[in-house]
Amino acid sequence: MQSVSDRRLFLAGVAGGLALLSGCGKAAKSGTQVVLGDQVHLLETKLSAAGQLKDLPYGISWGNFPGAAPLLEALNAGAVDTAPAGDLPIILAAAAGCRLKIAAVNKGSPKSMAIIVPRGSPMHSVEDLVGKTVIVSSARGSISHFLLLEALREKGLPPSSVKIGYMLPNDAAAAFATGQIAAWAIFGTYQARAEADGARILRDGTGIGPGYSAITVSERALADPHKRAAIADILSRARAANTWCIENPDAYARLYARQTGMDPAIARVVAAREKPGLSPPDAEFVTALQSASDRFYETYKVLPHRVDVASLVVPDLLRA
């Protein structure tokens, strides 16, 4: 199990992620080309399901990644123009020097992240984790890492009471399925797959904030007026796609299963747990994320310095 916690790797470990860039794009009418980052095809599936990828006046291609850390590395390297990610990985990336802005946010379901154990595990509570190794996906500073630290703090346990390892979700999923991982802090589709195979939840994200996902944009892309306009249009289409998913959950789950190869029953779980919506980053978002970011910096010493969340937001790229 290789650790990806060393933040020096954040700005140096881009090469592996770039190989995951997809060459399938759409022809541009305007000459503008935008590379859209994605995680496990989630954004692409929504836009496609809702018919929002038709008749684009600009060209797009996709860069699909298994987690936030390599995706944000690609954003920093200029390999993608946008990157959807969880709130705290974005803060960690900004602290590491990634030149990004937060353009749109969504308040997700707290049940879409959890600390899980395999079927038949003797552990039934967070207290049972003491002295055990807990694998966090995907990196130090991830939403899963925050969930674990806050779950321990809730029980009066210091972070040192467990051994923490870090693995990308794909690698961790394989290790968890073969019994090599005793406990796993994970999220989304990987969590749903593990639960379908009998994994039990020790603690989900209920009551542990901030629980946002966001679409970030590189400062380089924002400085290009043509790309900025195209990305603003994509965000508007993404909001419309989220509305379609809410109104057509079964159709969305079927398309998601078909596009990702996921079992339809698991796709329905993922779709039901999502609370897809998209809005400009507002004061409530900034306050919630600043509070969690400060805890990462002051209490858990994860961040190298304090991050000013308000300075990262672009409130007018997605119109309210």
Side-chain angles (χ1 to χ4, degrees):
M1 299 179 186
Q2 288 188 334
S3 169
V4 293
S5 64
D6 189 343
R7 285 298 91 198
R8 289 173 299 177
L9 295 179
F10 183 87
L11 299 178
V14 177
L18 302 190
L20 297 173
L21 285 174
S22 168
C24 57
K26 298 191 180 292
K29 296 177 182 177
S30 67
T32 300
Q33 292 281 342
V34 181
V35 184
L36 303 174
D38 205 356
Q39 291 192 51
V40 293
H41 301 285
L42 189 58
L43 179 60
E44 183 180 6
T45 300
K46 290 178 182 178
L47 286 164
S48 177
Q52 292 294 326
L53 294 179
K54 299 176 181 177
D55 301 320
L56 298 176
Y58 43 83
I60 64 168
S61 57
W62 292 92
N64 188 59
F65 294 81
L71 174 53
L72 290 166
E73 288 168 5
L75 185 81
N76 185 67
V80 298
D81 297 311
T82 68
D87 43 31
L88 289 168
I90 292 168
I91 293 301
L92 186 66
C98 184
R99 304 297 295 273
L100 59 78
K101 295 294 184 183
I102 300 170
V105 301
N106 175 55
K107 181 70 171 175
S109 168
K111 296 186 179 298
S112 61
M113 60 177 174
I115 303 167
I116 60 175
V117 294
R119 183 203 310 267
S121 170
M123 293 184 283
H124 294 275
S125 67
V126 171
E127 290 94 334
D128 291 336
L129 295 173
V130 173
K132 305 295 193 304
T133 296
V134 182
I135 295 301
V136 165
S137 288
S138 59
R140 190 169 183 262
S142 66
I143 57 173
S144 302
H145 189 201
F146 189 75
L147 170 64
L148 174 60
L149 295 176
E150 288 289 280
L152 293 171
R153 189 179 71 87
E154 184 179 62
K155 299 299 183 180
L157 300 170
S160 59
S161 63
V162 302
K163 301 171 185 176
I164 303 177
Y166 305 91
M167 295 180 71
L168 287 172
N170 282 339
D171 297 331
F176 188 84
T178 55
Q180 300 176 58
I181 291 178
W184 185 20
I186 187 54
F187 52 83
T189 58
Y190 303 98
Q191 175 191 339
R193 281 195 183 104
E195 287 182 74
D197 289 336
R200 287 189 289 102
I201 293 176
L202 296 188
R203 178 70 163 92
D204 65 22
T206 302
I208 296 178
Y212 286 90
S213 59
I215 297 179
T216 64
V217 184
S218 73
E219 290 185 356
R220 184 186 293 108
L222 287 174
D224 180 329
H226 300 292
K227 278 194 174 185
R228 186 184 181 102
I231 291 168
D233 182 65
I234 282 289
L235 293 178
S236 179
R237 290 170 183 264
R239 178 164 56 189
N242 281 345
T243 299
W244 184 91
C245 292
I246 292 171
E247 295 172 349
N248 302 275
D250 292 336
Y252 167 54
R254 286 194 299 271
L255 189 143
Y256 188 72
R258 186 163 65 248
Q259 184 153 334
T260 62
M262 182 181 291
D263 182 276
I266 299 174
R268 285 193 293 273
V269 171
V270 174
R273 281 181 179 169
E274 272 194 84
K275 292 186 176 179
L278 210 58
S279 60
D282 58 12
E284 181 180 351
F285 164 78
V286 170
T287 299
L289 186 51
Q290 189 67 65
S291 176
S293 175
D294 288 347
R295 182 162 291 166
F296 251 165
Y297 171 58
E298 296 168 358
T299 304
Y300 300 130
K301 312 301 182 186
V302 171
L303 299 179
H305 56 81
R306 186 176 187 270
V307 173
D308 178 18
V309 176
S311 69
L312 299 178
V313 303
V314 181
D316 59 350
L317 201 61
L318 175 64
R319 299 297 180 182

